Amino acid sequence: MVGRPAVPEVIWARPERAGRGPKPAFSRADIAAAAVRIADAEGLDALSMRKVAAELGCGTMSLYNYVPRKEDLHELMLDAVSAGYEYPDPSGDWRADLLALAHQARGMMHRHTWVPRLMSPVYGFSPNALRYLEYALSCLDGVDARFGEKMELIAMLNGVVTTYTANEIATAERSRSLPWSEEQEQAARTGYLISQIMTGKYPRMAAGFAEDPGPIDLDAVFDRALARVLDSFASA
Amino acid sequence: MVGRPAVPEVIWARPERAGRGPKPAFSRADIAAAAVRIADAEGLDALSMRKVAAELGCGTMSLYNYVPRKEDLHELMLDAVSAGYEYPDPSGDWRADLLALAHQARGMMHRHTWVPRLMSPVYGFSPNALRYLEYALSCLDGVDARFGEKMELIAMLNGVVTTYTANEIATAERSRSLPWSEEQEQAARTGYLISQIMTGKYPRMAAGFAEDPGPIDLDAVFDRALARVLDSFASA
DNA sequence: GGTAGTTACGTACACCGTACGTAGTGCGGT
DNA sequence: ACCGCACTACGTACGGTGTACGTAACTACC
């Protein structure tokens, strides 16, 4: 009688529809879709309970019948975008299959640039997250390794994809968010960097930036990074 | 005359002390230390400009003379905790040196659990971040690789360390934030997980969780993950 | 048919980041 | 020496946030 979890329950544990009262006007999918629409259009910082409620056309506090905390809204959103994955039958080449999966993840994050920020702690246990994990495991069916090791590999892959894509997105947004003068800001930023390097305290960075490497092929870097992770697993 | 950057300047580019008026009452280090103290004690979500100002004993808006935006406060904080790194002379074994550096980073994040959340986008260009990069590069002095490749390795190491430690922290906090009944919550959480697995939709996860692997040695997992990244670089 | 549990939602609270205006302070130029 | 101005300090205020709480309407079960 003392307690009941009060709050920290997982949202997936509570049934979407309780049998008793009037039937809910929205489904979780509706709510998630509305939230995703807002976050896609205006960014994660502009996402508020009020805006989601307005998008749905209901009062702010009505939303709290479906989503007890904002954090749960985030879980719903992650699950919603994770519904878009395609899971072709594993080809037998687990390296290629996992690489393709990683590419899907990267593409998804580019479509929904707020995803990396919400993924920060850990990939949860929403239905679609479980599907994702199960599929990744199925790609590794032929591989002789313990369950724990496979999970480690998958976690590591997800981690690399997430941080890598987060970097891509951050860089892209940094240069987009300056309508007044992109060059000017870039100049100020790298100007400071140059001034620091000029102090001579960072000779290796100075030397590195001196040799012009030409344009960077981000796709290639991404593939190379993943290939390394996969190779290291194969050779273990 | 139209513009001036207005806001987006990097904080490190502006001088700490401007020559003209009365001398500032606080240094950036003071401010960063106060903010770090609050974030350590009460968590990142409890960190507000008002609290930092109160901790320093000045009016809220006075803070804005030193720190134009809250984001800049975050940069100051990251730089402050990065000041604690030790950079022993490279031993000649770059693998061991970088592993040691990674361990330092993990330790630092365990002391300041909010760091991974702020590191999300990219390791910036604060003075201590530059020192860190320069040292990591110096560890790779004997290695025959292009500058870009070395930077890729360092970025990847940082990424793995950050995501891995973020996971550790999230799990730890999840089980700490339940004074009412840790078992009960854990039961509810894994109870839901079990119920999902019982549906038979996730046979591989079911099988995996069925075989009890015993307690997991997180340190070993961490070392193994890093070793893989380093090995993959060595063999490339 | 009563009633208990749900849905809907308006109001209210505490808190946030920060724009803006004003007062005071001490350095630079004359 | 002194003036003027750039800087510091900070109170007030605005528009926003998440969400606790109370109330009214509704419906599925006993």
Short mmCIF file of all heavy atoms in Angstrom, two decimals, chain A residues 8 12 121-122 125 127 130 134 138 141 147 152 156 163 167 180 185 192-193 202-205 208 221 224-225 228-229 232, chain B residues 8 12 121-122 125 127 130 134 138 141 147 152 156 163 167 174 185 192-193 202-205 208 221 224-225 228-229 232:
data_model
loop_
_atom_site.label_atom_id
_atom_site.label_comp_id
_atom_site.label_asym_id
_atom_site.label_seq_id
_atom_site.Cartn_x
_atom_site.Cartn_y
_atom_site.Cartn_z
N PRO A 8 7.93 5.77 -12.42
CA PRO A 8 8.99 5.29 -13.30
C PRO A 8 8.66 4.08 -14.15
O PRO A 8 9.53 3.53 -14.77
CB PRO A 8 10.14 4.98 -12.33
CG PRO A 8 9.53 4.86 -11.00
CD PRO A 8 8.23 5.56 -11.01
N TRP A 12 5.76 1.07 -22.27
CA TRP A 12 5.32 -0.10 -23.04
C TRP A 12 4.64 -1.12 -22.15
O TRP A 12 3.95 -2.02 -22.64
CB TRP A 12 6.51 -0.74 -23.75
CG TRP A 12 7.31 0.27 -24.51
CD1 TRP A 12 8.55 0.72 -24.20
CD2 TRP A 12 6.91 0.98 -25.68
NE1 TRP A 12 8.96 1.66 -25.12
CE2 TRP A 12 7.96 1.84 -26.04
CE3 TRP A 12 5.76 0.98 -26.47
CZ2 TRP A 12 7.90 2.69 -27.14
CZ3 TRP A 12 5.71 1.82 -27.57
CH2 TRP A 12 6.77 2.65 -27.89
N PRO A 121 21.31 7.72 -24.19
CA PRO A 121 21.62 6.79 -23.11
C PRO A 121 21.77 5.37 -23.61
O PRO A 121 22.81 4.76 -23.49
CB PRO A 121 20.42 6.93 -22.17
CG PRO A 121 19.36 7.63 -22.92
CD PRO A 121 19.87 8.03 -24.24
N VAL A 122 20.74 4.86 -24.22
CA VAL A 122 20.78 3.45 -24.62
C VAL A 122 19.58 3.19 -25.51
O VAL A 122 18.56 3.86 -25.41
CB VAL A 122 20.73 2.52 -23.40
CG1 VAL A 122 19.39 2.63 -22.70
CG2 VAL A 122 21.04 1.10 -23.78
N PHE A 125 13.83 -0.64 -25.04
CA PHE A 125 13.21 -1.93 -25.28
C PHE A 125 11.83 -1.78 -25.85
O PHE A 125 10.92 -2.55 -25.53
CB PHE A 125 13.19 -2.74 -23.99
CG PHE A 125 14.55 -3.15 -23.55
CD1 PHE A 125 15.19 -2.51 -22.51
CD2 PHE A 125 15.21 -4.18 -24.21
CE1 PHE A 125 16.47 -2.90 -22.12
CE2 PHE A 125 16.49 -4.57 -23.82
CZ PHE A 125 17.12 -3.92 -22.77
N PRO A 127 8.95 -2.02 -28.75
CA PRO A 127 8.71 -3.13 -29.68
C PRO A 127 9.63 -3.10 -30.90
O PRO A 127 10.25 -4.11 -31.24
CB PRO A 127 7.25 -2.92 -30.08
CG PRO A 127 6.63 -2.23 -28.92
CD PRO A 127 7.71 -1.37 -28.32
N LEU A 130 13.20 -3.95 -30.11
CA LEU A 130 13.38 -5.40 -29.97
C LEU A 130 13.45 -6.07 -31.35
O LEU A 130 14.28 -6.96 -31.57
CB LEU A 130 12.23 -5.99 -29.14
CG LEU A 130 12.27 -5.65 -27.65
CD1 LEU A 130 11.02 -6.18 -26.95
CD2 LEU A 130 13.52 -6.22 -27.00
N GLU A 134 16.55 -8.23 -32.66
CA GLU A 134 16.33 -9.61 -33.10
C GLU A 134 16.86 -9.80 -34.52
O GLU A 134 17.50 -10.79 -34.82
CB GLU A 134 14.84 -9.94 -33.02
CG GLU A 134 14.48 -11.35 -33.41
CD GLU A 134 14.93 -12.39 -32.38
OE1 GLU A 134 15.22 -11.99 -31.24
OE2 GLU A 134 14.99 -13.58 -32.74
N SER A 138 19.80 -12.13 -35.90
CA SER A 138 19.57 -13.14 -36.93
C SER A 138 20.64 -13.06 -38.01
O SER A 138 21.00 -14.06 -38.62
CB SER A 138 18.18 -12.97 -37.55
OG SER A 138 18.19 -11.94 -38.53
N ASP A 141 23.46 -15.32 -37.15
CA ASP A 141 23.11 -16.70 -36.81
C ASP A 141 24.23 -17.69 -37.11
O ASP A 141 24.47 -18.61 -36.34
CB ASP A 141 21.84 -17.11 -37.58
CG ASP A 141 20.61 -16.91 -36.72
OD1 ASP A 141 20.77 -16.70 -35.51
OD2 ASP A 141 19.48 -16.96 -37.27
N PHE A 147 26.24 -15.28 -26.98
CA PHE A 147 25.21 -14.26 -27.06
C PHE A 147 25.73 -12.90 -26.61
O PHE A 147 25.54 -11.88 -27.28
CB PHE A 147 24.02 -14.69 -26.19
CG PHE A 147 22.91 -13.67 -26.11
CD1 PHE A 147 22.13 -13.39 -27.21
CD2 PHE A 147 22.65 -13.01 -24.91
CE1 PHE A 147 21.11 -12.46 -27.14
CE2 PHE A 147 21.64 -12.08 -24.83
CZ PHE A 147 20.86 -11.79 -25.95
N GLU A 152 27.42 -7.31 -27.65
CA GLU A 152 28.47 -6.29 -27.56
C GLU A 152 28.75 -5.69 -28.93
O GLU A 152 28.87 -4.47 -29.08
CB GLU A 152 29.77 -6.90 -27.01
CG GLU A 152 29.78 -7.06 -25.50
CD GLU A 152 31.05 -7.74 -25.03
OE1 GLU A 152 32.10 -7.59 -25.70
OE2 GLU A 152 31.01 -8.42 -23.99
N MET A 156 28.08 -1.87 -30.05
CA MET A 156 29.19 -1.07 -30.53
C MET A 156 28.87 -0.48 -31.90
O MET A 156 29.14 0.70 -32.16
CB MET A 156 30.43 -1.95 -30.62
CG MET A 156 31.65 -1.16 -31.00
SD MET A 156 33.05 -1.70 -30.04
CE MET A 156 34.35 -0.88 -30.92
N THR A 163 27.21 8.12 -32.90
CA THR A 163 28.13 9.24 -32.69
C THR A 163 28.60 9.80 -34.03
O THR A 163 28.70 11.01 -34.20
CB THR A 163 29.35 8.81 -31.87
OG1 THR A 163 30.02 7.74 -32.53
CG2 THR A 163 28.94 8.39 -30.48
N ASN A 167 27.80 13.62 -35.34
CA ASN A 167 28.81 14.58 -35.79
C ASN A 167 28.44 15.17 -37.13
O ASN A 167 28.49 16.39 -37.32
CB ASN A 167 30.17 13.89 -35.89
CG ASN A 167 30.91 13.94 -34.59
OD1 ASN A 167 30.52 14.63 -33.66
ND2 ASN A 167 32.00 13.19 -34.51
N TRP A 180 23.12 34.94 -42.07
CA TRP A 180 23.68 36.28 -42.24
C TRP A 180 24.98 36.26 -43.03
O TRP A 180 25.23 37.11 -43.84
CB TRP A 180 23.89 36.93 -40.89
CG TRP A 180 24.46 35.99 -39.89
CD1 TRP A 180 23.79 35.05 -39.18
CD2 TRP A 180 25.82 35.87 -39.51
NE1 TRP A 180 24.64 34.36 -38.38
CE2 TRP A 180 25.89 34.84 -38.56
CE3 TRP A 180 26.99 36.54 -39.87
CZ2 TRP A 180 27.10 34.46 -37.98
CZ3 TRP A 180 28.18 36.17 -39.29
CH2 TRP A 180 28.23 35.12 -38.36
N GLU A 185 31.19 33.52 -40.47
CA GLU A 185 31.24 32.71 -39.26
C GLU A 185 32.32 31.64 -39.38
O GLU A 185 33.13 31.45 -38.47
CB GLU A 185 29.88 32.04 -39.03
CG GLU A 185 29.92 30.85 -38.10
CD GLU A 185 30.20 31.23 -36.66
OE1 GLU A 185 30.25 32.44 -36.38
OE2 GLU A 185 30.39 30.33 -35.83
N TYR A 192 39.92 31.64 -35.20
CA TYR A 192 40.33 31.40 -33.81
C TYR A 192 41.21 30.16 -33.73
O TYR A 192 42.25 30.16 -33.08
CB TYR A 192 39.12 31.23 -32.91
CG TYR A 192 39.42 30.45 -31.67
CD1 TYR A 192 40.16 31.01 -30.63
CD2 TYR A 192 39.01 29.12 -31.53
CE1 TYR A 192 40.46 30.29 -29.49
CE2 TYR A 192 39.31 28.39 -30.41
CZ TYR A 192 40.03 28.98 -29.39
OH TYR A 192 40.34 28.25 -28.28
N LEU A 193 40.78 29.13 -34.43
CA LEU A 193 41.54 27.88 -34.41
C LEU A 193 42.96 28.12 -34.90
O LEU A 193 43.94 27.68 -34.30
CB LEU A 193 40.83 26.84 -35.29
CG LEU A 193 41.27 25.40 -35.10
CD1 LEU A 193 41.07 24.97 -33.66
CD2 LEU A 193 40.52 24.48 -36.04
N TYR A 202 50.63 23.51 -30.37
CA TYR A 202 50.05 22.29 -30.91
C TYR A 202 50.70 21.95 -32.25
O TYR A 202 50.05 22.02 -33.30
CB TYR A 202 48.54 22.45 -31.08
CG TYR A 202 47.87 23.10 -29.89
CD1 TYR A 202 47.46 24.43 -29.93
CD2 TYR A 202 47.67 22.38 -28.72
CE1 TYR A 202 46.84 25.02 -28.84
CE2 TYR A 202 47.06 22.96 -27.62
CZ TYR A 202 46.65 24.28 -27.68
OH TYR A 202 46.05 24.87 -26.60
N PRO A 203 51.98 21.61 -32.21
CA PRO A 203 52.72 21.44 -33.48
C PRO A 203 52.12 20.36 -34.37
O PRO A 203 52.08 20.52 -35.60
CB PRO A 203 54.12 21.05 -33.00
CG PRO A 203 53.94 20.53 -31.61
CD PRO A 203 52.80 21.30 -31.03
N ARG A 204 51.65 19.26 -33.78
CA ARG A 204 51.16 18.17 -34.62
C ARG A 204 49.87 18.57 -35.34
O ARG A 204 49.65 18.22 -36.50
CB ARG A 204 50.94 16.92 -33.78
CG ARG A 204 52.27 16.33 -33.32
CD ARG A 204 52.09 15.27 -32.26
NE ARG A 204 53.38 14.89 -31.70
CZ ARG A 204 54.01 15.55 -30.75
NH1 ARG A 204 53.48 16.66 -30.27
NH2 ARG A 204 55.17 15.15 -30.28
N MET A 205 49.00 19.29 -34.62
CA MET A 205 47.79 19.74 -35.28
C MET A 205 48.13 20.76 -36.36
O MET A 205 47.52 20.79 -37.43
CB MET A 205 46.84 20.35 -34.25
CG MET A 205 46.42 19.34 -33.21
SD MET A 205 44.76 19.65 -32.60
CE MET A 205 43.81 19.59 -34.09
N GLY A 208 49.34 18.92 -39.27
CA GLY A 208 48.25 18.17 -39.89
C GLY A 208 47.36 19.05 -40.74
O GLY A 208 47.01 18.70 -41.86
N VAL A 221 34.55 7.50 -45.02
CA VAL A 221 35.00 7.45 -43.63
C VAL A 221 34.06 6.58 -42.81
O VAL A 221 34.49 5.73 -42.01
CB VAL A 221 35.06 8.87 -43.04
CG1 VAL A 221 35.44 8.81 -41.57
CG2 VAL A 221 36.06 9.71 -43.81
N ARG A 224 34.57 2.97 -43.63
CA ARG A 224 35.86 2.49 -43.12
C ARG A 224 35.74 2.21 -41.63
O ARG A 224 36.20 1.18 -41.14
CB ARG A 224 36.92 3.56 -43.38
CG ARG A 224 38.32 3.03 -43.36
CD ARG A 224 39.26 3.88 -44.19
NE ARG A 224 39.16 5.31 -43.93
CZ ARG A 224 39.05 6.24 -44.87
NH1 ARG A 224 39.02 5.88 -46.15
NH2 ARG A 224 38.98 7.50 -44.56
N ALA A 225 35.11 3.13 -40.91
CA ALA A 225 34.97 2.95 -39.47
C ALA A 225 34.20 1.67 -39.16
O ALA A 225 34.62 0.85 -38.32
CB ALA A 225 34.27 4.15 -38.86
N ARG A 228 36.06 -1.51 -39.84
CA ARG A 228 37.03 -1.85 -38.80
C ARG A 228 36.37 -2.57 -37.64
O ARG A 228 36.88 -3.57 -37.14
CB ARG A 228 37.71 -0.58 -38.30
CG ARG A 228 38.78 -0.11 -39.25
CD ARG A 228 39.47 1.14 -38.73
NE ARG A 228 40.49 1.55 -39.69
CZ ARG A 228 40.96 2.77 -39.78
NH1 ARG A 228 40.48 3.72 -38.99
NH2 ARG A 228 41.90 3.06 -40.65
N VAL A 229 35.23 -2.07 -37.23
CA VAL A 229 34.54 -2.72 -36.12
C VAL A 229 34.17 -4.15 -36.50
O VAL A 229 34.39 -5.10 -35.73
CB VAL A 229 33.27 -1.93 -35.75
CG1 VAL A 229 32.49 -2.67 -34.66
CG2 VAL A 229 33.64 -0.55 -35.26
N SER A 232 37.23 -6.44 -36.75
CA SER A 232 37.80 -6.81 -35.46
C SER A 232 36.99 -7.92 -34.82
O SER A 232 37.53 -8.78 -34.14
CB SER A 232 37.83 -5.59 -34.54
OG SER A 232 36.53 -5.27 -34.11
N PRO B 8 26.69 34.01 -32.47
CA PRO B 8 27.30 32.68 -32.59
C PRO B 8 28.81 32.61 -32.41
O PRO B 8 29.38 31.56 -32.63
CB PRO B 8 26.89 32.22 -33.99
CG PRO B 8 26.47 33.43 -34.71
CD PRO B 8 26.14 34.48 -33.72
N TRP B 12 35.82 31.05 -26.77
CA TRP B 12 37.28 31.09 -26.59
C TRP B 12 37.90 32.20 -27.42
O TRP B 12 39.05 32.59 -27.18
CB TRP B 12 37.90 29.76 -26.97
CG TRP B 12 37.21 28.61 -26.30
CD1 TRP B 12 36.42 27.67 -26.88
CD2 TRP B 12 37.23 28.31 -24.89
NE1 TRP B 12 35.95 26.79 -25.94
CE2 TRP B 12 36.44 27.16 -24.71
CE3 TRP B 12 37.85 28.89 -23.79
CZ2 TRP B 12 36.24 26.59 -23.46
CZ3 TRP B 12 37.65 28.31 -22.55
CH2 TRP B 12 36.86 27.17 -22.40
N PRO B 121 27.67 16.32 -29.43
CA PRO B 121 27.91 16.63 -30.83
C PRO B 121 29.34 16.34 -31.25
O PRO B 121 29.60 15.53 -32.10
CB PRO B 121 27.61 18.12 -30.93
CG PRO B 121 27.60 18.65 -29.54
CD PRO B 121 27.70 17.53 -28.60
N VAL B 122 30.27 16.97 -30.58
CA VAL B 122 31.65 16.82 -31.03
C VAL B 122 32.55 17.40 -29.95
O VAL B 122 32.15 18.28 -29.19
CB VAL B 122 31.89 17.56 -32.35
CG1 VAL B 122 31.81 19.05 -32.14
CG2 VAL B 122 33.22 17.18 -32.96
N PHE B 125 36.80 22.82 -29.46
CA PHE B 125 38.15 23.32 -29.66
C PHE B 125 38.59 24.20 -28.50
O PHE B 125 39.30 25.18 -28.70
CB PHE B 125 38.24 24.05 -30.99
CG PHE B 125 38.10 23.14 -32.16
CD1 PHE B 125 36.93 23.10 -32.89
CD2 PHE B 125 39.13 22.29 -32.51
CE1 PHE B 125 36.79 22.24 -33.98
CE2 PHE B 125 39.01 21.43 -33.58
CZ PHE B 125 37.83 21.40 -34.31
N PRO B 127 40.78 25.15 -25.20
CA PRO B 127 42.23 24.96 -24.97
C PRO B 127 42.56 23.54 -24.52
O PRO B 127 43.46 22.90 -25.09
CB PRO B 127 42.54 25.98 -23.88
CG PRO B 127 41.54 27.05 -24.07
CD PRO B 127 40.30 26.39 -24.58
N LEU B 130 42.15 20.96 -27.21
CA LEU B 130 43.28 20.97 -28.13
C LEU B 130 44.48 20.25 -27.53
O LEU B 130 45.17 19.49 -28.21
CB LEU B 130 43.66 22.42 -28.49
CG LEU B 130 42.66 23.14 -29.40
CD1 LEU B 130 43.07 24.60 -29.59
CD2 LEU B 130 42.57 22.45 -30.74
N GLU B 134 46.28 17.07 -29.15
CA GLU B 134 47.71 17.11 -29.43
C GLU B 134 48.42 15.94 -28.76
O GLU B 134 49.29 15.29 -29.36
CB GLU B 134 48.30 18.44 -28.94
CG GLU B 134 49.78 18.62 -29.21
CD GLU B 134 50.09 18.85 -30.69
OE1 GLU B 134 49.15 19.18 -31.45
OE2 GLU B 134 51.26 18.68 -31.08
N SER B 138 50.43 12.87 -30.33
CA SER B 138 51.83 12.60 -29.99
C SER B 138 52.03 11.11 -29.69
O SER B 138 53.10 10.56 -29.92
CB SER B 138 52.27 13.46 -28.80
OG SER B 138 51.85 12.87 -27.59
N ASP B 141 52.93 9.30 -32.81
CA ASP B 141 54.04 9.87 -33.57
C ASP B 141 54.80 8.83 -34.39
O ASP B 141 55.19 9.07 -35.53
CB ASP B 141 55.03 10.58 -32.62
CG ASP B 141 54.74 12.07 -32.56
OD1 ASP B 141 53.96 12.54 -33.39
OD2 ASP B 141 55.29 12.74 -31.67
N PHE B 147 47.56 12.15 -41.41
CA PHE B 147 46.95 12.92 -40.33
C PHE B 147 45.46 12.63 -40.22
O PHE B 147 44.94 12.38 -39.11
CB PHE B 147 47.19 14.42 -40.61
CG PHE B 147 46.52 15.33 -39.63
CD1 PHE B 147 46.96 15.42 -38.32
CD2 PHE B 147 45.44 16.13 -40.03
CE1 PHE B 147 46.35 16.27 -37.43
CE2 PHE B 147 44.82 16.98 -39.13
CZ PHE B 147 45.28 17.05 -37.83
N GLU B 152 40.80 10.28 -37.43
CA GLU B 152 39.65 9.36 -37.45
C GLU B 152 39.73 8.38 -36.29
O GLU B 152 38.72 8.10 -35.62
CB GLU B 152 39.64 8.58 -38.77
CG GLU B 152 39.04 9.34 -39.94
CD GLU B 152 39.13 8.55 -41.23
OE1 GLU B 152 39.12 7.31 -41.18
OE2 GLU B 152 39.23 9.19 -42.31
N MET B 156 37.10 8.12 -33.23
CA MET B 156 36.40 6.87 -33.00
C MET B 156 36.60 6.40 -31.56
O MET B 156 35.65 5.96 -30.90
CB MET B 156 36.94 5.82 -33.95
CG MET B 156 36.19 4.52 -33.85
SD MET B 156 35.86 3.85 -35.48
CE MET B 156 35.24 2.24 -35.03
N THR B 163 30.06 6.76 -25.69
CA THR B 163 28.80 6.00 -25.70
C THR B 163 28.84 4.88 -24.68
O THR B 163 27.85 4.61 -24.00
CB THR B 163 28.52 5.42 -27.10
OG1 THR B 163 29.61 4.58 -27.47
CG2 THR B 163 28.32 6.51 -28.10
N ASN B 167 26.34 4.63 -21.42
CA ASN B 167 25.52 3.47 -21.08
C ASN B 167 25.72 3.06 -19.64
O ASN B 167 24.76 2.82 -18.91
CB ASN B 167 25.86 2.30 -22.00
CG ASN B 167 25.08 2.35 -23.28
OD1 ASN B 167 24.14 3.13 -23.39
ND2 ASN B 167 25.45 1.53 -24.24
N ARG B 174 19.71 4.50 -13.37
CA ARG B 174 18.39 3.91 -13.40
C ARG B 174 18.14 3.11 -12.13
O ARG B 174 17.06 3.17 -11.55
CB ARG B 174 18.26 2.99 -14.61
CG ARG B 174 16.92 3.09 -15.29
CD ARG B 174 16.81 2.06 -16.40
NE ARG B 174 17.63 2.39 -17.56
CZ ARG B 174 17.27 3.31 -18.45
NH1 ARG B 174 16.18 4.02 -18.29
NH2 ARG B 174 18.03 3.55 -19.50
N GLU B 185 11.13 -2.22 -8.99
CA GLU B 185 11.24 -1.58 -10.30
C GLU B 185 11.96 -2.50 -11.28
O GLU B 185 11.52 -2.69 -12.41
CB GLU B 185 11.99 -0.26 -10.17
CG GLU B 185 12.58 0.28 -11.47
CD GLU B 185 11.50 0.75 -12.43
OE1 GLU B 185 10.33 0.77 -12.02
OE2 GLU B 185 11.84 1.06 -13.58
N TYR B 192 8.32 -6.82 -17.85
CA TYR B 192 7.77 -6.45 -19.15
C TYR B 192 8.60 -7.09 -20.27
O TYR B 192 8.08 -7.64 -21.23
CB TYR B 192 7.78 -4.94 -19.32
CG TYR B 192 7.80 -4.51 -20.76
CD1 TYR B 192 6.67 -4.63 -21.55
CD2 TYR B 192 8.96 -4.02 -21.35
CE1 TYR B 192 6.68 -4.27 -22.88
CE2 TYR B 192 8.99 -3.66 -22.67
CZ TYR B 192 7.85 -3.78 -23.44
OH TYR B 192 7.88 -3.43 -24.75
N LEU B 193 9.93 -7.02 -20.09
CA LEU B 193 10.82 -7.58 -21.10
C LEU B 193 10.54 -9.05 -21.29
O LEU B 193 10.42 -9.56 -22.41
CB LEU B 193 12.27 -7.34 -20.67
CG LEU B 193 13.31 -7.54 -21.76
CD1 LEU B 193 13.03 -6.59 -22.92
CD2 LEU B 193 14.70 -7.30 -21.20
N TYR B 202 10.65 -13.00 -30.49
CA TYR B 202 12.09 -12.70 -30.45
C TYR B 202 12.85 -13.92 -29.96
O TYR B 202 13.44 -13.90 -28.88
CB TYR B 202 12.35 -11.50 -29.55
CG TYR B 202 11.39 -10.36 -29.75
CD1 TYR B 202 10.38 -10.10 -28.85
CD2 TYR B 202 11.51 -9.53 -30.87
CE1 TYR B 202 9.49 -9.05 -29.03
CE2 TYR B 202 10.63 -8.48 -31.07
CZ TYR B 202 9.62 -8.24 -30.14
OH TYR B 202 8.76 -7.20 -30.34
N PRO B 203 12.86 -14.97 -30.78
CA PRO B 203 13.43 -16.24 -30.30
C PRO B 203 14.91 -16.12 -29.94
O PRO B 203 15.35 -16.73 -28.96
CB PRO B 203 13.24 -17.17 -31.51
CG PRO B 203 13.06 -16.27 -32.69
CD PRO B 203 12.39 -15.04 -32.16
N ARG B 204 15.66 -15.34 -30.70
CA ARG B 204 17.10 -15.27 -30.43
C ARG B 204 17.38 -14.56 -29.12
O ARG B 204 18.26 -14.93 -28.35
CB ARG B 204 17.81 -14.58 -31.58
CG ARG B 204 17.84 -15.45 -32.82
CD ARG B 204 18.28 -14.68 -34.04
NE ARG B 204 18.08 -15.49 -35.26
CZ ARG B 204 16.93 -15.57 -35.89
NH1 ARG B 204 15.87 -14.93 -35.43
NH2 ARG B 204 16.82 -16.31 -36.97
N MET B 205 16.62 -13.52 -28.85
CA MET B 205 16.82 -12.84 -27.57
C MET B 205 16.38 -13.75 -26.43
O MET B 205 16.99 -13.78 -25.37
CB MET B 205 16.02 -11.54 -27.54
CG MET B 205 16.47 -10.57 -28.62
SD MET B 205 16.27 -8.88 -28.11
CE MET B 205 17.27 -8.82 -26.65
N GLY B 208 19.06 -16.16 -25.86
CA GLY B 208 20.22 -15.50 -25.28
C GLY B 208 20.05 -15.23 -23.81
O GLY B 208 20.96 -15.50 -23.02
N VAL B 221 34.69 -5.70 -20.70
CA VAL B 221 33.98 -5.37 -21.94
C VAL B 221 34.55 -4.09 -22.54
O VAL B 221 34.80 -4.00 -23.74
CB VAL B 221 32.48 -5.20 -21.67
CG1 VAL B 221 31.76 -4.77 -22.93
CG2 VAL B 221 31.89 -6.51 -21.16
N ARG B 224 37.92 -4.76 -24.02
CA ARG B 224 37.81 -5.55 -25.25
C ARG B 224 37.37 -4.65 -26.41
O ARG B 224 37.93 -4.72 -27.51
CB ARG B 224 36.78 -6.66 -25.01
CG ARG B 224 36.92 -7.81 -25.96
CD ARG B 224 36.40 -9.11 -25.37
NE ARG B 224 35.07 -8.99 -24.79
CZ ARG B 224 34.75 -9.43 -23.56
NH1 ARG B 224 35.68 -9.98 -22.80
NH2 ARG B 224 33.53 -9.32 -23.11
N ALA B 225 36.38 -3.80 -26.16
CA ALA B 225 35.89 -2.93 -27.23
C ALA B 225 37.01 -2.03 -27.75
O ALA B 225 37.23 -1.90 -28.95
CB ALA B 225 34.73 -2.09 -26.72
N ARG B 228 39.64 -3.78 -29.75
CA ARG B 228 39.23 -4.05 -31.13
C ARG B 228 39.46 -2.84 -32.02
O ARG B 228 39.97 -2.95 -33.12
CB ARG B 228 37.76 -4.44 -31.16
CG ARG B 228 37.56 -5.88 -30.78
CD ARG B 228 36.11 -6.26 -30.79
NE ARG B 228 35.98 -7.65 -30.41
CZ ARG B 228 34.88 -8.19 -29.93
NH1 ARG B 228 33.81 -7.44 -29.76
NH2 ARG B 228 34.83 -9.46 -29.63
N VAL B 229 39.09 -1.68 -31.53
CA VAL B 229 39.27 -0.48 -32.34
C VAL B 229 40.75 -0.26 -32.62
O VAL B 229 41.15 0.02 -33.76
CB VAL B 229 38.70 0.75 -31.61
CG1 VAL B 229 38.99 2.01 -32.39
CG2 VAL B 229 37.20 0.59 -31.41
N SER B 232 42.16 -2.85 -35.05
CA SER B 232 41.75 -2.64 -36.43
C SER B 232 42.59 -1.55 -37.07
O SER B 232 42.90 -1.62 -38.25
CB SER B 232 40.28 -2.27 -36.48
OG SER B 232 40.11 -0.95 -35.99
#
